[in-house]
Amino acid sequence: MTLIIIAVLAAVLLTGIPIFAALGLTSLAILWLFEGKVWSMADTVFASLNNPLLATIPMFAFMAHVMIKAKVVDDLYEMSNKLVGHVKGGLGFATILCCTIFATISGSSVATALTIGTTAIPQMQRFGYRPRDTYGIIAAGGTLGILIPPSGPMILYAVVTNASIGGLFLAGIVPGLLIALLFAIFSWVQANAHGETQAQDWPGTRAVLSAFWKSIWAVMMPPVILGGIYFGIFTAAEAAAVGAAYALLVALLVYRNVSLRDLGECLWQTMRTCAMLFMIIAAAGMFGHAITIIRLPAEVMETVTALELSQTGFLLAVMIAIFILGMFLETIAIILITTPIILPSMLALGIDPVWYGIMLMINLELALITPPVGMNLFVLKGITGAPLIDIMRGAAPYVGILIFGLFMVWLFPQLALWLPQQSGFGR
């Protein structure tokens, strides 16, 4: 039954209809077939959206749109470039650094790849980077938007599982920085392995400090948001409000390049983003209700019990399944299809939802750069016009790095759990 429902839902999604429609129609069909009525869905939709955690989504989305509109990425890239661009192969390192910082602003992998790629790809190719290598750096660096908080998929996962958003945000920091460091080191090694790459001239300490000072408002955003959560100054929901207010003040009082019309555009884009997400969340609630009615999660749990799978065996099976799904489905669809089904079994086996959530995010990063439906691959094709096969070849080594990062978090859970435990989220 589980495989049939997943196969039907995947088939519906592959027709190209919106995710919320696919989830909603599948849920209604299940209820109609097994209960003969669908009236209970009204209460389910209301309960799904009557969640205070959802207040974080519009505020983080607004923060991202305002900071992008203010063009803070230009200052970020200039600062990163001047800091390490004088080292041979340092421009790729600088690009990963810029992606890491921008990921904390945008909360979106696609937005990170699109925004940084537009600025960085011409610059890297000008200094001798092979086109294929530049595509790989941007495709991989863009995936950090999922793992490094604030992350839209993390919030969605927290809503579905009732896990702590603050705990998830803090749990993503160390693995996110570790994977970013591995990306940067590989890009540096790769650039130095090809003799064409050139180093820029050292701009001087004064120029570096000046560039850092220009980007200080963007650089300070992660410490403000995550530091406030870590030290208990405010909750994750309050952090979203602080972030939105911070972005607004920086855009209006520091950069002064955002007009009232631009703000209206940011609000419109935020409204569109949130409307889409809330419809998906409501449909996910319907799906969870429908599969509970037909005892699908209970059957999965009984099957796991009968197979006597260990925690390791269960996680291995789930991670492989999600990796395969990631080749065909979007990240949001994967979260909403798999999580309600495996959650009871996961809890029964004593798997920490925060730990699993970080492994899930890394696996979803893989989904963004693995064909045939890797979103970051198509984003890069859109902004460069390069053959898709070249982009895939450039991203291929970073797939291996992400798998290694996933294995490290699996092998050493404290990479994800230490920081939340230190701040009280793990107790």
Side-chain angles (χ1 to χ4, degrees), residues 132-143:
R132 192 171 76 186
D133 295 346
T134 66
Y135 307 147
I137 290 169
I138 299 297
T143 65

Side-chain angles (χ1 to χ4, degrees), residues 33 59 82 164 190 206 246 273 299 386 394 397-398 417:
L33 288 172
M59 288 183 283
K82 288 188 175 179
S164 163
Q190 187 182 53
R206 179 173 294 183
Y246 182 95
T273 301
E299 289 180 8
Y398 295 93
L417 298 178

